[in-house]
Amino acid sequence: MSQLVLVVDDSPTTRKFIAFSLRLIGCRVIEAMDGHDALEQLARNPETALIFTDLNMPNMDGLSLLRAVRGSAAFAGVPVLVLTSEQDEPVRNQSLQAGAEDYLVKPFSSEQVQQCAQKYLDGLRRTGT
């Protein structure tokens, strides 16, 4: 069975691009437009195996989402990958310290998204989760 991936970004174009890229490698994808929507999607989809999130979003930003996921017993172990236009090293460090597994700067290619997803999904398959 294919793994379920949550894509969180306030840009519909970016969400669709990432979702399309992930579907090409066999992932099932759900989408959210901000952190609040993402938490609702996670509650409805407890089998979520991986999260891609933007940082700068209205209502609840990606860093707040990351902290909420890491603070949740149900989702604390789900890999979170940050995809953002923020190139500043302090922002990158803050994301990684908050628990992000990886940090990709926009623009990124479909291949980069796929490679990043496969890296973490393959790791989940090896550990049996």
Side-chain angles (χ1 to χ4, degrees):
M1 181 167 75
S2 62
Q3 299 279 4
L4 183 64
V5 180
L6 172 60
V7 176
V8 188
D9 199 301
D10 58 322
S11 164
T13 303
T14 301
R15 279 196 319 267
K16 298 297 180 202
F17 172 77
I18 297 167
F20 176 78
S21 299
L22 294 169
R23 287 185 181 110
L24 287 175
I25 60 169
C27 295
R28 294 178 299 126
V29 180
I30 52 176
E31 300 177 26
M33 64 184 136
D34 62 32
H36 286 300
D37 188 21
L39 292 175
E40 290 174 9
Q41 290 293 338
L42 287 171
R44 287 193 293 267
N45 298 280
E47 72 278 19
T48 301
L50 181 65
I51 301 168
F52 280 91
T53 186
D54 187 17
L55 284 182
N56 298 315
M57 298 178 289
N59 303 317
M60 180 185 224
D61 66 19
L63 200 53
S64 297
L65 170 62
L66 177 56
R67 289 180 178 134
V69 167
R70 290 294 167 254
S72 163
F75 297 104
V78 174
V80 179
L81 311 173
V82 172
L83 303 171
T84 183
S85 57
E86 293 286 339
Q87 297 183 30
D88 297 336
E89 195 65 27
V91 175
R92 175 184 167 83
N93 290 339
Q94 188 177 25
S95 297
L96 295 173
Q97 288 172 355
E101 271 70 28
D102 218 329
Y103 190 96
L104 295 175
V105 177
K106 295 176 186 176
F108 41 78
S109 68
S110 182
E111 291 79 19
Q112 287 174 298
V113 170
Q114 292 167 346
Q115 288 171 356
C116 204
Q118 287 178 314
K119 174 182 174 182
Y120 292 98
L121 293 173
D122 287 348
L124 293 173
R125 282 190 274 274
R126 280 193 296 278
T127 61
T129 54

